[in-house]
Amino acid sequence: MIGIYLSGTGNTKHCVEKLLYLLDDTAKCVPLEHPQIIHMLEKQDTIILGYPTQFSNAPFMVRDFIKRNAFLWKGKKVFCVNTMGLFSGDGTGCTARILKKYGAEILGGIQIKMPDSVCDNKTLKKDIIENRQIVKNADKRLEQIAEQIRQGKYPQEGLSFIAHIKGLFGQRLWFYRKTVGYTDKLKISDSCTGCGLCCKECPMRNIEMKDNRAVSGERCTMCYRCISLCPQKAITLIGDHVWEQCRYEKYV
Ligand SMILES: Cc1cc2nc3c(=O)[nH]c(=O)nc-3n(C[C@H](O)[C@H](O)[C@H](O)COP(=O)(O)O)c2cc1C
Ligand code: SF4
Ligand code: SF4
């Protein structure tokens, strides 16, 4: 068994690691951007795949990864873990349907509420106490889910036809243009001091350093990692001001 994930602010990383180690404490858990990921996946039969919901869809990087490596999935057993701030409809179904097309067997899926990673939109902000409680609840759920799976009962959250309709009409259709590909809309303000952290941490290698300033390219997958890490709060995407940087570690 192996765990793989895309995680911007650490929520999905935590959920996949926790579930995986409860099921098999010898298993490896690696990010999608790991240089050896294809080689590692080829050797495994069972995969836990995690990613955050974005507008009731899977991030483009995740869908792109699945499609570019279509040869990988035949005969693999995949369990989908989707984290969300509030609502994802068929967040797990968004990858499960593609994986099935390439021959994977979908064991099941879960959609776990975690702190909202969008930190440049004030209306989505929750206080630290509420976010800590959200993480505690998620941990409790993951323990219950691991017990269920040990008994051979895989949850099927987000995989039904009704969930598909909810995801599609609840959000995905209206925000279709935001998730159809990578974005070039990342903004980096003049307060950038050129520390290089965003460039080093971006899973898409979308940020370059030029003349001691960070410059964004056209391949951002909207994960919010750089936005949540920048010491100057110089990076924004949906909004224009960083209210409070979100990182999983702040809530434990
Ligand atoms: C661009 C973007 C869009 C998002 N859209 C949704 C959404 O539609 N529904 C939701 O519940 N959460 C949404 N979220 C919140 C994340 O899915 C959630 O915080 C997730 O746990 C982040 O995981 P990560 O830390 O592993 O990246 C969105 C986050 C981002 C960055
Ligand atoms: S992390 Fe912030 S300050 Fe550092 S290079 Fe990136 S944008 Fe500039
Ligand atoms: S540029 Fe920032 S938000 Fe976009 S993919 Fe890279 S780290 Fe994520």
Side-chain angles (χ1 to χ4, degrees), residues 8 61 183 186 198 201-207 216 219-227 235 237:
M61 180 186 174
T183 181
L186 199 84
C198 53
E201 294 294 330
C202 173
M204 285 301 301
R205 296 174 182 267
N206 177 57
I207 300 180
S216 175
R219 287 176 58 80
C220 169
T221 193
M222 301 194 290
C223 75
Y224 269 66
R225 192 183 294 173
C226 59
I227 303 169
I235 315 177
L237 179 57

Side-chain angles (χ1 to χ4, degrees), residues 18 26 49 77 79 97 104-105 108-109 115 123 127 139 154 173 192 197-199 207 224 228 239 251:
K18 177 148 182 122
T26 63
L49 164 67
K77 296 183 168 87
F79 186 78
R97 288 189 291 275
E105 177 191 339
T123 53
D127 68 37
D139 279 349
Y154 289 89
L173 268 185
C192 167
L197 186 62
C198 53
C199 170
I207 300 180
Y224 269 66
S228 78
Y251 309 125

Side-chain angles (χ1 to χ4, degrees), residues 188 191-199 209 214 230-232 234-235:
I188 304 181
S191 51
C192 167
T193 54
C195 73
L197 186 62
C198 53
C199 170
M209 298 307 295
C230 172
Q232 303 303 320
I235 315 177

Side-chain angles (χ1 to χ4, degrees), residues 239-250:
D240 294 313
H241 177 80
V242 174
W243 295 95
E244 192 226 329
Q245 286 164 312
C246 314
R247 298 284 320 160
Y248 162 76
E249 299 80 24
K250 284 167 104 169

Side-chain angles (χ1 to χ4, degrees), residues 138-203:
D139 279 349
K140 221 181 275 167
R141 271 202 73 210
L142 286 163
E143 281 157 24
Q144 289 161 353
I145 287 159
E147 185 51 38
Q148 251 179 280
I149 293 178
R150 271 190 229 107
Q151 292 168 14
K153 292 181 219 148
Y154 289 89
Q156 302 292 318
E157 291 172 16
L159 299 171
S160 67
F161 177 68
I162 299 216
H164 190 167
I165 297 296
K166 279 187 185 164
L168 191 62
F169 291 103
Q171 283 208 98
R172 200 158 55 252
L173 268 185
W174 323 119
F175 292 106
Y176 173 75
R177 282 177 52 205
K178 288 202 187 290
T179 57
V180 74
Y182 294 113
T183 181
D184 60 358
K185 302 275 187 287
L186 199 84
K187 295 158 277 186
I188 304 181
S189 77
D190 288 344
S191 51
C192 167
T193 54
C195 73
L197 186 62
C198 53
C199 170
K200 185 169 146 263
E201 294 294 330
C202 173

